[in-house]
């Protein structure tokens, strides 16, 4: 039996969800076979595979990274909002910067699809750009922050911390209205979840920087 693209994705994502990080000879063989199959990978396959690698704390080797980047560029126009958020989050989490040109293209698509991005997707995308040291241009950044303000009721405390931290890294004030809304929403979430430890010391430090 031979794995197809979807089989690889299912395997990697299953390992990630189970918290099982395979290593050794079998893992290396699978990665080699995956690399040969990459031309058949869709945008969703790529985003989900990279998401799984990040969850498994696995950073692909240089050759596989380059092959993945080639396929990401090839399939870029077909990325869904979820796939865009996943791939940005994955690259940031793995510490693999795909380069300014690709980041700019990924964020441009994210901006174009911002109306249908979930609150989680918006927060993850902004956090990922900040984590990789990429500051979006003013127009897409303002559009993403505006969309985040529209979806405040769906943002978790962690989302709010990520957005605040990203704005600090971008040296960009989110605007009085959004900042006030972020603070108000945070207070409401904390009040509603008193029994849940939503903020730790690091969260508080990041939020008030």
């Amino acid at each position: 039996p031979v794995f197809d693209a979807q089989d690889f994705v299912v395997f990697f994502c299953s390992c990630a969800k189970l918290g099982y990080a395979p290593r050794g000879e079998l893992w290396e063989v699978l990665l080699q076979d995956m690399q040969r199959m990459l031309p058949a990978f869709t945008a969703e396959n790529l985003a989900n595979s990279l998401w799984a690698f990040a969850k498994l704390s696995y950073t692909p080797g240089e050759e596989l990274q380059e092959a993945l980047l080639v396929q990401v560029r090839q399939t870029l126009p077909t990325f869904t909002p979820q796939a865009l958020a996943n791939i940005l989050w994955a690259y940031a989490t793995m510490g693999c910067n795909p380069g300014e040109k690709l980041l700019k293209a990924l964020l441009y698509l994210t901006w174009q699809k911002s109306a249908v991005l979930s609150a989680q997707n918006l927060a993850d995308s902004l956090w990922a750009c900040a984590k990789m040291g990429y500051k979006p241009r003013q127009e897409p950044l303002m559009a993403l922050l505006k969309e985040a303000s529209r979806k405040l009721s769906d943002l978790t405390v962690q989302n709010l911390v990520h957005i605040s931290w990203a704005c600090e890294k971008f040296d960009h004030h989110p605007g009085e209205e959004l900042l006030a809304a972020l603070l108000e929403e945070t207070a409401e979430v904390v009040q509603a979840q008193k029994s849940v430890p939503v903020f730790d010391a690091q969260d508080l430090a990041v939020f008030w920087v």
Side-chain angles (χ1 to χ4, degrees):
V2 178
F3 269 22
D4 62 18
Q6 187 60 31
D7 292 332
F8 281 108
V9 176
V10 170
F11 176 77
F12 294 141
C13 288
S14 296
C15 288
K17 289 174 182 177
L18 291 169
Y20 170 67
R23 294 292 188 268
E25 186 177 350
L26 175 59
W27 178 247
E28 293 302 321
V29 169
L30 281 170
L31 293 175
Q32 289 168 15
D33 287 345
M34 173 200 181
Q35 187 168 334
R36 284 193 289 269
M37 287 291 298
L38 278 179
F41 273 55
T42 64
E44 185 177 5
N45 294 155
L46 292 163
N48 288 341
S49 296
L50 285 164
W51 172 87
F53 288 163
K55 292 290 283 186
L56 292 168
S57 300
Y58 171 74
T59 303
E62 190 174 326
E63 186 178 346
L64 179 53
Q65 276 193 50
E66 184 55 40
L68 285 162
L69 282 172
V70 168
Q71 190 62 12
V72 168
R73 295 186 193 104
Q74 291 286 338
T75 57
L76 199 55
T78 64
F79 269 76
T80 64
Q82 183 66 57
L84 287 165
N86 280 356
I87 202 165
L88 283 168
W89 178 87
Y91 275 127
T93 301
M94 291 188 297
C96 299
N97 191 319
E100 184 174 347
K101 187 174 181 180
L102 183 55
L103 282 174
K104 184 177 179 180
L106 287 166
L107 199 70
Y108 176 81
L109 288 173
T110 301
W111 170 33
Q112 294 299 304
K113 301 180 182 187
S114 60
V116 292
L117 284 171
S118 69
Q120 178 77 49
N121 292 159
L122 286 162
D124 284 350
S125 298
L126 289 166
W127 172 83
C129 288
K131 180 80 171 173
M132 290 185 280
Y134 174 72
K135 181 179 180 178
R137 291 186 299 107
Q138 184 77 358
E139 192 173 3
L141 177 56
M142 291 295 290
L144 291 173
L145 289 171
K146 185 176 180 180
E147 196 60 40
S149 70
R150 289 181 181 147
K151 295 171 180 171
L152 270 171
S153 61
D154 297 324
L155 291 168
T156 66
V157 168
Q158 191 65 53
N159 296 155
L160 293 167
V161 170
H162 281 176
I163 291 172
S164 300
W165 180 80
C167 286
E168 188 270 326
K169 288 297 181 184
F170 297 148
D171 194 21
H172 177 87
H173 195 291
E176 295 297 337
E177 184 179 1
L178 180 56
L179 184 59
L182 283 168
L183 291 169
E184 181 181 352
E185 185 67 19
T186 301
E188 289 179 4
V189 171
V190 172
Q191 181 67 26
Q193 300 181 15
K194 278 186 175 178
S195 61
V196 181
V198 288
F199 270 138
D200 60 19
Q202 182 64 31
D203 290 336
L204 288 168
V206 168
F207 191 80
W208 288 108
V209 168

